[in-house]
Amino acid sequence: MSTGSGAASAPAPDHRDTLAARDTPARKNSMFYSLRIRNYRLFFLGQVVSNIGTWMQRIAQDWLVLSLTGSSAAVGITTALQFLPMLLFGLYGGVLVDRLRKRPTLIVTQTAMALTALALAVLTLTGRVEVWHIYVAAFALGLATVVDNPARQAFVSELVGPGQLQNAVSLNSANFQSARLVGPAVAGLLITGVGTGWAFLLNGLSFVAPLTGLMMMRARELHAVERAPRGKGQLREGLRYVTGRPELLWPIVLVGFIGTFAFNFPVYLSAFADDVFDGGAGVYSMFNTLMAVGSVSGALLAARRGTARLRLLIVAAIAFGALEILAAASPQLWMFALIMVPLGLFSMTVNVTTNTSLQMATDPVMRGRVMALYMMVFLGGAPVGAPIVGWITDTYGARVGFAAGGAVAVAAASVIGLILARLGGLRLSVGWDRGHPRVRFVPRERQEALAPVA
């Protein structure tokens, strides 16, 4: 294309220019820069609709189980069954994602998830639903997410390229959490007005939006990513890749502890709404909505940041756990509800920072396996943790269960933070600054230089 004085004043756009633009790092503080890419806009808008339906189904599913059984443990079992396939088969899903083309794969998985929601809607609307039906539907949905989750995570890099990855991942999280503002509120109205079956039906229909967006994308504008060839030992290869890199291994270990014990919000919040504050589905929806306010704020702040530092991950995880302990001790409904906002902010900071740091530090050919391991540990921990925290909540009360989850988050983040600091050549420095205590990490050499001479 000519750039001289005789060049046309408005040259036709070329898809090679689009690819080059996608490789250019997003401008600092450009919060929505990735939305300039057409394929990503289609993906983003489709997910807006689908995510609202997903949140509607989450609220309706948890409340329906609680209504049928009156047991927080049953809610925990439902959560466990939904994430058990990720625990059992998550790594195999990552191997498949590294081999397959992402867009056709997502069309298949999104269709399967829609059919699961529609089947549950029919059972509920006809009055034939039993708790085992919900268990089966949750497990079937979990099977689809084994491939869908790592495929969606890895597909983002094909949509926007490496230069926009941080911004696009953060916007995806903001998208999901923005839907959380609408989905629980609509679910609460539907549950109290016409019944849970309509929430399942609308969720099934909402998958039309992402499927349409996927089929409308321009394949020539996708960023080319190398696919792994079919071969033996690829699962072990992925595990060796992660265990050999501390910047991948320890964040995954941290979110494993947090996802297993501290992120069981269906158990905790439904118990607080029903048992502690004697509320109903509306109060439960309000808790989720307030958490979403904080989560959206956390995701948008992440979209403005240019990097995802592990230091931020540790601080956010400690703050998240401390807020759970504080919420567990809250004597009044208004106080508990108020804490949901910063709790959502720090939970999203943990989520986005981990997701982005892993994707940025991973070779493209390994990204499906790494993200599958991340999702397996983060979501797959629920089958282990949900029944445990459900039993603790039923036996000792919601306050003890919530506080225990927060304590695990604080302890895990503190220990792993010290491990990462040691691996990074840092040491803890405790001193005074203008009459105030100051705790920070400094390089070992600097620590030794500051040590007093005997």
Side-chain angles (χ1 to χ4, degrees), residues 238-286:
L239 290 174
R240 286 195 301 268
Y241 180 81
V242 171
T243 55
R245 303 185 62 175
E247 71 275 18
L248 300 179
L249 174 63
W250 290 110
I252 290 176
V253 172
L254 175 59
V255 298
F257 279 103
I258 293 177
T260 300
F261 298 104
F263 263 64
N264 285 285
F265 296 116
V267 178
Y268 296 138
L269 299 187
S270 62
F272 266 86
D274 191 44
D275 299 333
V276 178
F277 298 118
D278 296 321
V283 174
Y284 180 44
S285 297
M286 179 188 69

Side-chain angles (χ1 to χ4, degrees), residues 96-112:
L96 286 175
V97 167
D98 279 336
R99 293 176 181 173
L100 301 174
R101 290 191 300 156
K102 309 301 184 295
R103 187 164 64 130
T105 300
L106 287 172
I107 290 175
V108 172
T109 58
Q110 296 277 296
T111 301

Side-chain angles (χ1 to χ4, degrees), residues 390-406:
W391 175 80
I392 294 174
T393 300
D394 281 342
T395 305
Y396 300 102
R399 295 188 185 279
V400 174
F402 208 12

Side-chain angles (χ1 to χ4, degrees), residues 39-40 42-44 46-48 50-51 54-55 58 82-83 86 93-94 96-98 100-111 113 141-142 144-160 165 168-177 207 210-211 214 217 222 351 355 359 367-369 371-372 374-375 378-379:
N39 282 346
Y40 181 72
L42 291 171
F43 180 80
F44 185 90
Q47 292 299 309
V48 167
S50 181
N51 285 337
T54 297
W55 277 112
R58 283 193 178 189
Q82 185 165 330
F83 296 118
M86 182 64 71
L96 286 175
V97 167
D98 279 336
L100 301 174
R101 290 191 300 156
K102 309 301 184 295
R103 187 164 64 130
T105 300
L106 287 172
I107 290 175
V108 172
T109 58
Q110 296 277 296
T111 301
M113 295 164 77
L141 182 63
T145 59
V146 166
V147 177
D148 185 81
N149 270 345
R152 277 190 294 109
Q153 301 288 339
F155 190 47
V156 175
S157 64
E158 294 189 23
L159 292 170
V160 301
L165 187 58
V169 169
S170 300
L171 289 180
N172 282 349
S173 299
N175 184 334
F176 187 70
Q177 297 302 325
F207 283 95
L211 288 170
L214 287 167
M217 290 179 183
L222 292 174
N351 193 341
N355 190 317
Q359 293 213 48
R367 190 167 286 141
R369 276 164 283 184
M371 297 313 296
Y374 160 64
M375 299 304 296
F378 186 43
L379 300 179

